[in-house]
Amino acid sequence: MGVSGVGKSTIGKLLAQDLNIPFFDGDDFHPESNITKMSSGQPLNDDDRQPWLETLNALAKKELIKNSCIIVCSALKQKYRDIVSKEIESKTKWVHLSGSYEQICERMNSRTKHFMPSELLQSQFDILENPTEALQIDVSKTPQNIIRTIKHELMDASEFGVFGLGVMGKSLCRNLANNGFKISMFNRHVEGLEEDIATNFKTQFKELSQAAAFDDIAAFVNSLQQPKKIMLMVNAGKAIDDVIEDLLPYLSESDILIDCGNSNYKKTKERYEYLKTKNIHLVGAGVSGGEEGALKGPSIMPSGAKEAYKKVKLYLEAISAKDKDNLPCCTYIGPDGSGHFIKMVHNGIEYVEMQLLAEVSTILEALGQNPSEIADTLESWKGQASSYLLDITTSIFRKKEGNDWLVNKVLDKAGNKGTGNWTAIASAELGVPSTLIASALFTRYMSFYKEERLQLNKSFKKGSYVKFKITFNELFEAYQFARIINHYQGFKLITEASKSYAWNLNLSEIARIWTSGCIIKSKLMKDLVEIFKNTSNLLTHKKIIETLNQYKSSTKTVVLQSILNDVSIPALSEAIQFFNGITTAYSSANIIQAQRDYFGAHTYQRLDDNSGKNYHTNWK
Ligand code: 6PG
């Protein structure tokens, strides 16, 4: 691609000859009307170009079935290039031949048989949108030199690098390779611990036959096409900073690092600013879906400078999961650390969804069900409440080891890697009552006090005060009730963060990329995509109001019965508490305000004066 007269045909033909693949000059595919228009000195408009670009797209697709080809065409605007590469994005490589106006004008004036007069050249420069995704070639070099550079950059060099071959890194490598990308893979060398990880990995999977494997940073970085795009798949935290420092000496202006770990969004912002001072881009990308998602298609939440995202969009969208309309579950989230913020909230919601399933299973057990029966009950909810976490929990309850169920042998101490903790901190900092997330998090913390629990269990005997009376339907409704409150709180946190940090986040789009590939994908999430098109407050939506009103009574019964039977259900009970709080018109906060004014003269406002005036009273 490039403006008319830049030398596309000459270079394209030479390259095609060298590679022994067909060559097509886009100009030969213009409809007659376009040629007439250009010959009469009029520039083409977008409508004129549309059918022409579609013809080139069809041609490329046809040739790709056989092998490959070179097509030259001006493709000056991004949308033109989008049409030409439609549905073959990952197989299309753009080369932008560029030169100065003067240089090209001189070349054009020396040509005799071309229908484009040089006066039209300026109009081409005017509409040229510099491609971010293309290999940039300066046409002042010799054709042989240009061919060598194109061949090296597009055929020898890799288009994408993955740094860190842990479980997730490996799966993402295979996913990228399965999507036809030529990648470079790096894993460090640690004597006796991590040796030849990349080279050994390459030999294990046939899709990696074209991938390049390294344990030397310089060689890894130098194997990549410009601008270099490197996905960091290392543990969140200090390791990211160390890796950035290790890579920096080999990076140059406009290179892009993509941090796909569960990094703290504030650290991502700091790293983004730091790298900006070195003209390096950082895309902070939340990735969800675990090992399987990474391999088959995760949900990806990228953020940072939009320009930088555009350069890696092709790769991230290709490897991501696809929604019901086959759209990628990957979308540009917003500036700096917003992608990691969203991933953090995803995990907060995940913590609660997991906790709710743990609680309903505990209730089912208290009702007398064995693990297989619990699995049957959970499975029967799939129709209305299907979710990935419901599915895996069902499978967990079915898994046997010998004659017993494996789940009964798992130590009851729940770990965490920090994202739930950060969600609770972010909620507190932003003043958002994410009570279910805090409750699920603190319940995990409580589980860690195993010794103390064992000891206290002896002093405080558990018992049932009434016969445990809950129907399966009531339990189902309470579960769904609490899940709605959970999603309300999660999206509320996103809304408030979006306002505070001016991120301008799109709730419906966030819900959409969470409908596939990620841990919290569910039927409810699919409903939210539509709901958030009309409101940012879940609790104001008609269908949600109806459902909560309908399920509230069951939720009360389940919570009450569980408390009376000493079954610990922090998240279910928090859901009803929160619901009662958020739907209370006149809360008990008046008393708090009076107390604050009493001991600290913190003042209060009055219901009978809406001017905002602050009052202080001597309460004694
Ligand atoms: C995902 C998961 C993933 C990981 C978390 C879980 O979306 O794929 O959330 O990011 O499983 O680390 O966090 P905890 O270890 O804190 O449960």
Side-chain angles (χ1 to χ4, degrees):
M1 64 151 293
V3 295
S4 189
V6 77
K8 300 187 293 289
S9 304
T10 311
I11 300 295
K13 273 182 205 155
L14 282 173
L15 185 61
Q17 257 169 27
D18 192 301
L19 300 173
N20 200 18
I21 55 175
F23 166 80
F24 301 98
D25 193 329
D27 286 344
D28 297 342
F29 294 80
H30 269 294
E32 201 49 51
S33 52
N34 283 359
I35 298 180
T36 316
K37 200 169 177 183
M38 286 189 282
S39 306
S40 71
Q42 294 176 65
L44 299 179
N45 61 33
D46 287 0
D47 289 341
D48 299 326
R49 285 187 176 98
Q50 177 85 21
W52 170 56
L53 296 166
E54 282 169 1
T55 307
L56 296 182
N57 173 251
L59 171 69
K61 282 179 178 161
K62 195 174 106 218
E63 289 300 317
L64 270 171
I65 295 169
K66 292 184 250 166
N67 180 14
S68 186
C69 71
I70 288 175
I71 299 177
V72 296
C73 117
S74 48
L76 299 177
K77 289 189 188 174
Q78 182 59 45
K79 64 178 174 191
Y80 302 164
R81 296 188 287 275
D82 288 345
I83 301 172
V84 176
S85 59
K86 193 158 181 241
E87 290 160 5
I88 46 168
E89 290 86 354
S90 64
K91 293 181 175 156
T92 308
K93 312 285 178 217
W94 289 101
V95 176
H96 179 205
L97 297 183
S98 61
S100 69
Y101 175 81
E102 292 70 30
Q103 189 184 12
I104 297 168
C105 205
E106 202 186 304
R107 286 185 182 204
M108 286 182 81
N109 288 333
S110 65
R111 286 196 304 193
T112 47
K113 279 198 203 127
H114 201 272
F115 53 74
M116 164 82 75
S118 64
E119 303 81 63
L120 284 188
L121 182 59
Q122 190 53 50
S123 74
Q124 295 229 329
F125 268 93
D126 290 345
I127 63 161
L128 172 66
E129 289 169 8
N130 244 326
T132 51
E133 78 280 29
L135 169 64
Q136 300 289 345
I137 297 285
D138 176 357
V139 284
S140 57
K141 292 182 191 156
T142 66
Q144 285 69 25
N145 198 320
I146 291 176
I147 301 299
R148 246 197 326 275
T149 312
I150 295 176
K151 276 177 65 184
H152 169 71
E153 282 290 326
L154 293 190
M155 302 186 66
D156 306 335
S158 303
E159 44 195 324
F160 205 83
V162 179
F163 189 110
L165 300 178
V167 177
M168 294 290 282
K170 281 181 172 167
S171 297
L172 286 168
C173 282
R174 291 181 59 202
N175 188 343
L176 282 157
N178 280 326
N179 272 285
F181 297 121
K182 184 164 182 339
I183 57 166
S184 284
M185 317 180 289
F186 171 88
N187 198 85
R188 64 185 177 177
H189 174 92
V190 184
E191 203 74 29
L193 287 173
E194 291 176 50
E195 292 183 0
D196 300 324
I197 302 283
T199 37
N200 289 339
F201 172 53
K202 176 179 158 65
T203 58
Q204 282 165 15
F205 298 96
K206 68 172 186 319
E207 64 266 35
L208 298 176
S209 59
Q210 297 300 309
F214 299 91
D215 60 8
D216 175 77
I217 293 192
F220 164 69
V221 181
N222 290 332
S223 74
L224 297 167
Q225 292 169 14
Q226 302 276 9
K228 299 180 192 305
K229 305 164 199 76
I230 303 176
M231 188 183 256
L232 306 181
M233 293 305 303
V234 292
N235 287 336
K238 189 170 173 300
I240 297 281
D241 296 307
D242 294 344
V243 165
I244 288 175
E245 290 309 321
D246 289 347
L247 283 167
L248 269 177
Y250 309 104
L251 299 177
S252 46
E253 199 167 315
S254 299
D255 287 346
I256 305 163
L257 299 180
I258 311 154
D259 175 9
C260 288
N262 274 330
S263 286
N264 184 298
Y265 71 102
K266 288 187 179 173
K267 290 299 291 180
T268 302
K269 184 172 164 53
E270 271 172 41
R271 290 172 187 137
Y272 172 88
E273 302 292 351
Y274 169 65
L275 286 167
K276 204 166 151 191
T277 64
K278 303 189 179 297
N279 288 320
I280 308 288
H281 297 291
L282 176 69
V283 171
V287 176
S288 175
E291 187 182 352
E292 195 182 313
L295 179 61
K296 295 185 183 155
S299 169
I300 309 181
M301 302 145 239
S303 62
K306 199 158 193 179
E307 283 316 303
Y309 172 65
K310 281 189 189 156
K311 294 184 194 168
V312 295
K313 178 177 186 256
L314 171 70
Y315 306 91
L316 300 187
E317 290 192 354
I319 61 169
S320 73
K322 304 296 174 288
D323 73 5
K324 66 171 177 38
D325 299 320
N326 208 27
L327 294 172
C329 288
C330 170
T331 193
Y332 173 71
I333 299 290
D336 53 76
S338 55
H340 279 136
F341 184 92
I342 294 304
K343 174 66 201 327
M344 176 194 79
V345 179
H346 166 285
N347 282 23
I349 297 172
E350 170 187 299
Y351 273 43
V352 180
E353 293 290 284
M354 292 164 75
Q355 177 62 27
L356 288 171
L357 281 161
E359 291 180 18
V360 296
S361 307
T362 309
I363 293 173
L364 288 169
E365 194 188 357
L367 288 170
Q369 291 206 321
N370 68 32
S372 294
E373 289 163 341
I374 294 175
D376 290 344
T377 307
L378 296 183
E379 195 157 349
S380 73
W381 295 356
K382 261 180 88 168
Q384 282 175 275
S386 74
S387 75
Y388 169 76
L389 284 169
L390 182 74
D391 280 351
I392 65 160
T393 311
T394 307
S395 304
I396 286 168
F397 278 105
R398 293 210 188 285
K399 182 84 179 167
K400 281 200 160 184
E401 194 183 69
N403 288 329
D404 197 5
W405 289 273
L406 179 58
V407 69
N408 288 344
K409 298 182 184 175
V410 177
L411 178 65
D412 54 334
K413 278 183 173 182
N416 79 91
K417 291 213 188 88
T419 44
N421 172 338
W422 298 339
T423 320
I425 292 173
S427 300
E429 283 178 350
L430 290 162
V432 183
S434 308
T435 55
L436 285 182
I437 289 164
S439 171
L441 173 73
F442 294 155
T443 306
R444 285 197 191 189
Y445 290 171
M446 203 186 325
S447 75
F448 248 78
Y449 289 79
K450 177 77 179 172
E451 298 307 315
E452 189 171 339
R453 287 192 286 119
L454 282 170
Q455 191 197 342
L456 295 179
N457 182 260
K458 290 185 192 130
S459 317
F460 301 97
K461 282 276 173 242
K462 302 246 173 192
S464 62
Y465 305 99
V466 292
K467 186 170 165 9
F468 208 162
K469 247 180 74 199
I470 299 175
T471 65
F472 291 148
N473 188 51
E474 282 167 337
L475 189 57
F476 170 77
E477 291 188 352
Y479 170 63
Q480 286 291 77
F481 182 97
R483 292 184 66 221
I484 292 173
I485 302 297
N486 177 29
H487 285 76
Y488 163 78
Q489 290 190 349
F491 280 91
K492 182 75 177 170
L493 179 54
I494 293 172
T495 307
E496 294 301 327
S498 181
K499 275 191 229 157
S500 291
Y501 300 125
W503 280 340
N504 196 20
L505 303 180
N506 180 336
L507 298 188
S508 172
E509 186 63 355
I510 291 168
R512 188 190 66 74
I513 62 165
W514 286 348
T515 58
S516 186
C518 72
I519 305 294
I520 58 172
K521 62 183 175 185
S522 68
K523 181 175 179 303
L524 175 59
M525 196 62 80
K526 286 184 185 156
D527 295 342
L528 296 189
V529 178
E530 295 310 313
I531 291 175
F532 285 130
K533 281 182 184 161
N534 301 310
T535 176
S536 61
N537 186 339
L538 193 51
L539 297 188
T540 60
H541 189 262
K542 191 166 168 280
K543 197 165 158 259
I544 294 289
I545 295 172
E546 275 167 24
T547 309
L548 290 176
N549 276 327
Q550 194 189 333
Y551 291 177
K552 185 180 176 188
S553 154
S554 295
T555 312
K556 288 199 282 190
T557 306
V558 169
V559 170
L560 190 64
Q561 287 283 324
S562 301
I563 291 174
L564 287 173
N565 283 278
D566 289 343
V567 176
S568 175
I569 43 143
L572 282 167
S573 57
E574 193 49 63
I576 193 84
Q577 291 296 355
F578 178 82
F579 181 78
N580 282 337
I582 201 79
T583 55
T584 294
Y586 191 56
S587 74
S588 57
N590 58 331
I591 303 161
I592 308 290
Q593 280 301 77
Q595 290 165 333
R596 292 177 71 243
D597 189 49
Y598 189 116
F599 62 68
H602 294 301
T603 74
Y604 61 94
Q605 290 178 3
R606 294 179 61 103
L607 281 171
D608 53 7
D609 177 2
N610 56 15
S611 70
K613 182 178 164 193
N614 291 319
Y615 289 84
H616 171 57
T617 299
N618 184 356
W619 293 86
K620 279 186 200 142

